[in-house]
């Protein structure tokens, strides 16, 4: 048996907790001593918690006063150095990432170090609701194109850099795919265009004299975890009724559309969206009108739970104008 000492490993639980308020997707962030925003993170206690999910729910309620609804495991993040600083000799932290959905309860959170923040603050290039973000053509594509032109035979992967830039950012006739959030983030990281790449010592980032401020950076690899969560939720909308976890029990069709648009980052045609909702039979009228719309009263609807027994993949397969 080898006498080599193995690096101890600790298991942590990282939560991307999503809520919708005023038609904006929010993510719960926790602020550390370094001043950077991060996702809420807590250790897994194998003695106190029978499962990872039970542990996650327990410490989120304890630390932030939030009782989570929908929770889904994303991925295990264990890259070497993800929570370490240069010279660290402590335990390596492997984090199990989760996507959680909640409704803003109103009032203050149970901690002064956590708050909800717009997720497009961290991914401004993902918000296409009004128009394509100007930073894509102005900052991102020129920098990515320069990086792609510098590709050498030694750096070529299965898909060349130029093709990845075209596919992931919808260039030269390729469609913009809102689900490729993680692919786009990883491309920006590999090209050294975001702060996390410089912090991690990526050669492409260190070779640049300046880094364009592409969104707000996060602690450790938390922006990568958040990208994974956004991509999962955007995909999930199309085959699971998860959107109703973010809405009140009764809602208008306009509120439903704004929520879907907020998550997908895409503008939806109003009449086409309503026809889709009717065709999918996901909602039913309550027979009550809302007077809180600021205009004429609007019909209130609720999620029709029977759809879960009627077909295996009920969701909103939306198509945008672009």
């Amino acid at each position: 048996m080898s006498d080599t000492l193995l690096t101890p490993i600790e298991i942590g639980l990282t939560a991307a907790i999503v809520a919708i308020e005023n038609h904006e997707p929010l993510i719960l962030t926790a602020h550390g001593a370094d001043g950077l925003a991060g996702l809420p993170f807590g250790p897994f206690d194998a003695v106190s918690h029978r499962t990872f999910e039970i542990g996650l729910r327990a410490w989120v309620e304890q630390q932030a006063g939030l009782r989570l609804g929908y929770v889904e495991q994303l991925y295990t993040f264990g890259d070497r150095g993800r929570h370490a600083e240069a010279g660290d000799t402590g335990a390596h932290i492997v984090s199990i990432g989760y996507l959680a959905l909640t409704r803003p309860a109103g009032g203050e959170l149970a901690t002064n170090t956590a708050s909800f923040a717009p997720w497009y603050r961290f991914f401004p290039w993902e918000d296409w609701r009004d128009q394509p973000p100007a930073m894509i053509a102005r900052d991102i594509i020129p920098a990515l194109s320069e990086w792609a032109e510098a590709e050498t035979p030694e750096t070529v992967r299965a898909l060349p850099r130029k093709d990845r830039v075209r596919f992931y950012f919808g260039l030269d006739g390729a469609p913009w795919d809102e689900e490729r959030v993680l692919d786009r983030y990883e491309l920006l990281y590999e090209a050294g265009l975001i702060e996390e790449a410089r912090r991690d010592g990526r050669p492409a980032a260190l070779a640049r004299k300046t880094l364009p401020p592409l969104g707000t950076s996060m602690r450790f690899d938390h922006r990568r975890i958040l990208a994974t969560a956004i991509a999962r939720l955007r995909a999930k909308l199309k085959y699971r009724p998860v959107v109703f976890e973010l809405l009140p029990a009764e809602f208008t069709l306009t509120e439903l559309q704004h929520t879907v648009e907020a998550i997908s980052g895409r503008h939806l045609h109003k009449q086409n969206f309503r026809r889709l909702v009717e065709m999918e039979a996901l909602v039913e009228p309550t027979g009550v009108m809302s007077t809180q719309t600021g205009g004429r009263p609007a019909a209130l609807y609720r999620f029709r739970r029977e759809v879960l027994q009627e077909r295996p993949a009920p969701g909103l397969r939306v198509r945008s104008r672009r």
Side-chain angles (χ1 to χ4, degrees):
M1 180 180 295
S2 173
D3 293 331
T4 303
L5 294 178
L6 300 178
T7 301
I9 292 178
E10 294 181 4
I11 297 176
L13 307 172
T14 305
I17 302 173
V18 179
I20 300 289
E21 192 168 39
N22 297 325
H23 309 150
E24 286 299 319
L26 308 177
I27 191 75
L28 187 65
T29 60
H31 302 275
D34 56 8
L36 291 175
L39 299 176
F41 175 88
F44 172 64
D45 185 345
V47 175
S48 301
H49 305 127
R50 180 173 55 85
T51 68
F52 293 141
E53 184 178 321
I54 290 174
L56 177 81
R57 290 180 182 274
W59 69 252
V60 168
E61 185 170 359
Q62 177 185 1
Q63 294 179 15
L66 281 178
R67 183 166 293 183
L68 299 178
Y70 180 92
V71 171
E72 171 183 346
Q73 189 177 127
L74 288 171
Y75 189 74
T76 299
F77 299 84
D79 290 1
R80 183 164 53 87
R82 60 177 303 276
H83 267 235
E85 301 294 339
D88 281 356
T89 58
H92 176 62
I93 300 177
V94 173
S95 184
I96 300 174
Y98 280 85
L99 166 65
L101 308 180
T102 189
R103 299 183 180 96
E108 297 295 324
L109 295 170
T111 173
N112 294 327
T113 62
S115 60
F116 278 102
W119 79 21
Y120 291 122
R121 178 183 300 171
F122 308 102
F123 297 92
W125 57 87
E126 293 291 341
D127 188 1
W128 286 55
R129 286 174 293 177
D130 294 328
Q131 58 188 358
M135 69 183 331
I136 294 180
R138 184 188 65 229
D139 303 318
I140 292 177
I141 298 307
L144 283 178
S145 298
E146 178 186 347
W147 170 75
E149 288 290 345
E151 187 169 37
T152 63
E154 293 77 22
T155 61
V156 174
R157 292 167 43 176
L159 198 62
R161 290 177 179 179
K162 288 183 180 180
D163 287 341
R164 283 187 282 151
V165 173
R166 181 166 66 89
F167 291 149
Y168 298 164
F169 281 90
L171 304 179
D172 302 328
W176 173 269
D177 185 347
E178 66 269 17
E179 294 179 28
R180 288 193 174 273
V181 186
L182 182 60
D183 289 329
R184 285 186 283 272
Y185 175 81
E186 295 285 15
L187 196 64
L188 294 172
Y189 178 87
E190 185 183 345
L193 299 182
I194 53 176
E195 173 63 18
E196 285 89 339
R198 186 198 63 77
R199 253 179 9 222
D200 293 349
R202 294 284 303 187
L206 297 177
R208 296 180 180 276
K209 294 182 180 179
T210 60
L211 286 173
L214 300 182
T216 302
S217 64
M218 301 184 82
R219 302 178 69 206
F220 308 129
D221 58 353
H222 287 194
R223 196 152 48 146
R224 177 176 284 112
I225 297 175
L226 179 54
T228 307
I230 295 173
R232 177 73 63 84
L233 184 54
R234 285 181 169 183
K236 208 92 172 181
L237 283 179
K238 299 173 184 177
Y239 62 91
R240 287 289 184 270
V242 292
V243 65
F244 301 105
E245 300 285 347
L246 296 164
L247 286 161
E250 297 182 353
F251 48 85
T252 67
L253 292 184
T254 298
E255 289 173 326
L256 175 59
Q257 179 174 341
H258 285 324
T259 301
V260 174
E261 289 177 330
I263 296 168
S264 66
R266 304 297 295 266
H267 176 75
L268 304 173
H269 186 280
K270 180 177 179 180
Q271 296 306 320
N272 289 347
F273 178 78
R274 298 199 171 197
R275 280 194 292 268
L276 176 64
V277 170
E278 180 179 356
M279 180 180 66
E280 297 290 346
L282 292 174
V283 302
E284 59 186 6
T286 65
V288 178
M289 304 293 286
S290 170
T291 59
Q292 307 298 316
T293 59
R296 65 174 61 184
L300 286 171
Y301 291 79
R302 59 176 166 249
F303 173 51
R304 194 174 70 84
R305 298 190 177 279
E306 291 80 3
V307 74
L308 297 172
Q309 282 78 47
E310 294 170 358
R311 60 182 190 272
L316 287 167
R317 295 172 175 81
V318 295
R319 293 182 180 179
S320 64
R321 286 183 175 179
R322 299 187 187 90

